[in-house]
Amino acid sequence: MAPFEPMRILVVDDEESIRRLAKKEFSDPHRKVWTAGSAHEAFELVRRQQVDVIVLDIRLPDGDGLELLEQFRETLPDVEVIIITGHGNIDSAVEAMKSGAYDYITKPFTLDRLELVIEKAFQRVRLQRENRLLRHTQSYQPSPRFIGSSAAIQHIQYLIGKVAPTDVPVLITGESGAGKDVVARAIHGLSRRQENPLIIKNCGTLQKELIRSELFGYCKGAFTGATESQEGLLTLAHQGTLFLDEIGELPLEVQASLLRVLENQTFRRVGDKQERQVDVRFLFATNRNLAEEVKASRFHEALYHRINVFQLDLPPLRQRKEDIPLLVEYFLGLLSAGKPPCRISKNVMHLLMEYSWPGNVRELRNVMERGMILSENGIITAQGLPRELAEQNRYKGTVLHGERPLLSLYELEKQHIQRVLEHTSGNRSQASDTLGISRKTLYRKLKEYGLE
Ligand SMILES: Nc1ncnc2c1ncn2[C@@H]1O[C@H](COP(=O)(O)OP(=O)(O)O)[C@@H](O)[C@H]1O
Ligand SMILES: [Mg+2]
């Protein structure tokens, strides 16, 4: 939906006086009126012109209004149709409602009455388009909090507070899972656009051939298959924020058009000669080094400078481990869904702090989620952790061979003794029997391995 565009009404009636009157009375800066005297004319018109509301006389010289209604419902999903019926023709009114008309109005009628029905129909059109927009918008998800006590995160929180109220584009960089989405939502949530849409699109998932039309929209007939005009994400984000994730994946030729939007807030739909205005705040994210991409001629240099006005770089979690305890507490609370949150054992916290977190905060969240499922009596122990975490000390400095690490003999012997002891529930004479060594040797080895 484009709030800056007037409502577009089509009146289809064979009575010339009604067409003339409707055009005269309803046309104003917020409403555009087209008229058609026949079914054929009406069809020609909607082929060329996108409309929002159609007022349709059920009796037409060259066809049945009901049939036309059905065709409209099929081909113009975003349009509401109001039926005009003759006096006492309630049957066809009922038929029309069954076929998906928004409402009907009986001749003779006053223009005021018709105007009211048109306005209501248009509200419904807007609502439907907004719903479609909502499917693109992520704002219905409760906005996640941006947590962290490290100096790096505190500084980023400070910068977010400064930049959010402006319209300056922000480039958010950092490894996958480091929190780029969270930052983008925080910026939008603290901006003057917070009530308006936040549209999030990952440029890496856009289909190459369709990127331009998804972003900018297209005109009917712009290419095969474009049977109807369609607004792009840019228009959906009007007065709100457009967050383009993985901006490094955008093809070069589309980058040039994007630069124009950033520079003068104008764009063109695919197949349209006319320039349009939009009011959009841009956020970008990437886990690529864009400066390198520019050097390699894979990224538009001018666009890079334009989007790199304000950069927020999220350090990987391994460089800010002091955030881990706070994040753990946050996720345990968040994921407990009202029940008393799980706790973690000291040993587990130690393992979490040791680990290198290649998947960053996302991985930590997943580990907590898994741990909660495997928790016993509300406590997450090392058994509830994935192997790479639980066994990281054991495997430190070892080489992997397929799934299994190549252990030193020392390490292998230690683990084997541990396993046997687990099996005998700690009974040492049984264990020494199984191992084929004397109890005295076993005691010595336990001492040596620190297993007592
Ligand atoms: N600082 C943070 N505070 C709270 N949650 C975070 C933080 N950073 C990341 N997360 C959570 O970790 C997950 C991954 O974050 P996300 O922003 O999607 O990462 P990215 O976009 O950088 O790949 C999400 O569930 C997000 O809510
Ligand atoms: Mg992301």
Side-chain angles (χ1 to χ4, degrees), residues 176-177 179-181 202 243 245-246 285 362:
S176 177
K180 299 185 291 297
D181 273 70
N202 186 328
F243 171 32
D245 202 351
E246 310 271 1
R362 178 175 294 118

Side-chain angles (χ1 to χ4, degrees), residues 143-148 153 157 172-185 243 245-246 285-287 314 317 320 323 327 330-331 334 359-366:
S143 121
R145 283 177 52 214
F146 184 57
I147 306 281
I153 293 301
Q157 280 167 344
I172 309 161
T173 54
E175 288 180 8
S176 177
K180 299 185 291 297
D181 273 70
V182 188
V183 169
R185 284 170 216 265
F243 171 32
D245 202 351
E246 310 271 1
T286 182
N287 50 18
L314 283 168
L317 189 56
R320 46 178 168 107
D323 287 342
L327 283 165
Y330 171 65
F331 288 136
L334 187 77
N360 291 295
V361 185
R362 178 175 294 118
E363 187 179 9
L364 176 60
R365 187 193 158 116
N366 293 343

Side-chain angles (χ1 to χ4, degrees), residues 116-281:
L116 191 75
V117 181
I118 290 175
E119 283 297 335
K120 282 202 302 192
F122 185 53
Q123 276 171 22
R124 164 113 157 231
V125 170
R126 290 185 92 111
L127 206 71
Q128 278 170 354
R129 288 183 195 168
E130 263 161 33
N131 283 345
R132 184 160 63 83
L133 179 148
L134 264 182
R135 286 197 289 274
H136 282 285
T137 316
Q138 319 284 318
S139 53
Y140 53 84
Q141 286 177 4
S143 121
R145 283 177 52 214
F146 184 57
I147 306 281
S149 57
S150 62
I153 293 301
Q154 303 248 303
H155 185 56
I156 287 172
Q157 280 167 344
Y158 165 79
L159 293 174
I160 290 173
K162 284 282 186 195
V163 79
T166 73
D167 273 343
V168 170
V170 179
L171 176 61
I172 309 161
T173 54
E175 288 180 8
S176 177
K180 299 185 291 297
D181 273 70
V182 188
V183 169
R185 284 170 216 265
I187 293 173
H188 176 75
L190 291 170
S191 75
R192 63 177 175 83
R193 298 166 179 268
Q194 66 196 58
E195 300 289 324
N196 299 327
L198 165 66
I199 306 284
I200 300 180
K201 195 74 204 176
N202 186 328
C203 300
T205 64
L206 283 165
Q207 237 181 301
K208 274 256 176 322
E209 316 74 53
L210 299 179
I211 293 183
R212 183 181 290 278
S213 49
E214 257 213 66
L215 279 180
F216 300 110
Y218 57 83
C219 280
K220 191 169 167 166
F223 44 85
T224 18
T227 52
E228 236 189 290
S229 300
Q230 176 85 49
E231 301 290 0
L233 295 176
L234 210 54
T235 314
L236 294 181
H238 183 59
Q239 296 182 327
T241 306
L242 181 56
F243 171 32
L244 294 177
D245 202 351
E246 310 271 1
I247 184 67
E249 309 300 317
L250 203 66
L252 271 168
E253 67 276 14
V254 183
Q255 289 178 18
S257 311
L258 185 61
L259 178 62
R260 194 162 60 203
V261 187
L262 279 158
E263 280 180 339
N264 43 27
Q265 301 270 351
T266 60
F267 73 103
R268 246 186 263 158
R269 298 194 296 188
V270 176
D272 200 349
K273 288 193 193 70
Q274 203 192 335
E275 292 244 298
R276 295 162 154 237
Q277 284 278 331
V278 272
D279 167 20
V280 170
R281 201 266 178 92

Side-chain angles (χ1 to χ4, degrees), residues 255 258-259 262 299-308:
Q255 289 178 18
L258 185 61
L259 178 62
L262 279 158
F299 201 84
H300 198 299
E301 183 164 7
L303 179 63
Y304 171 63
H305 292 304
R306 192 73 192 86
I307 70 179
N308 196 26

